[in-house]
Amino acid sequence: GLGEVSETALQKRGWQPGSVRSPDGTTVATPLRFYGKSGSNVVMMAMTQGRAGVCTVTAMLGKLRDVSRSVQFVRSELASYRPDLTVGNSGARAVFVSLPKLAILEATGTKDAPAVRVVVTYHDPEKK
């Protein structure tokens, strides 16, 4: 699950933790953990609940057609360590499944400021 995310390893790679602040500047408690990297247009958010969790990565794109390039990149990266990866498309979404992990890539932003969002989640296979 996301409990395996190492904040130390992220910081060694240049990712810095962020926080949520109210309009008066007070830090707001949230179960989300935020990370940003200097010089990068990528924002990462992670949240864990027990063994289950969600990680979201959002990145601005130069052009709307870069969405398909992003899908190919994510597919290649995931398949390199998850050979049982299944990929499906649903409209403007690409879904990558290798249970118990699931990733959804979708276009977001606007036509003039396109972005892509990747949501990775872990489905806890424990019996209910």
Side-chain angles (χ1 to χ4, degrees):
L2 289 177
E4 299 168 8
V5 172
S6 168
E7 293 189 46
T8 302
L10 286 173
Q11 289 181 21
K12 284 182 181 177
R13 290 179 175 93
W15 292 93
Q16 294 300 311
S19 61
V20 176
R21 298 193 183 274
S22 67
D24 68 2
T26 307
T27 301
V28 177
T30 175
L32 291 172
R33 295 186 320 249
F34 297 88
Y35 302 92
K37 193 173 194 177
S38 180
S40 173
N41 63 1
V42 176
V43 174
M44 183 179 359
M45 295 177 285
M47 182 175 73
T48 57
Q49 292 179 327
R51 289 181 48 195
V54 175
C55 181
T56 302
V57 178
T58 304
M60 299 300 293
L61 300 173
K63 301 175 185 119
L64 193 55
R65 69 175 178 237
D66 290 339
V67 172
S68 62
R69 291 180 185 160
S70 299
V71 170
Q72 293 304 318
F73 175 77
V74 170
R75 176 185 298 201
S76 174
E77 288 295 308
L78 292 176
S80 71
Y81 70 93
R82 297 299 295 218
D84 61 337
L85 183 71
T86 302
V87 181
N89 291 352
S90 172
R93 289 187 179 135
V95 179
F96 307 90
V97 181
S98 180
L99 294 177
K101 295 179 180 176
L102 167 70
I104 300 169
L105 182 147
E106 58 189 344
T108 187
T110 66
K111 188 170 80 171
D112 295 329
V116 66
R117 175 176 45 230
V118 180
V119 179
V120 179
T121 186
Y122 174 83
H123 173 72
D124 193 342
E126 288 184 2
K127 294 180 182 177
K128 294 182 179 181

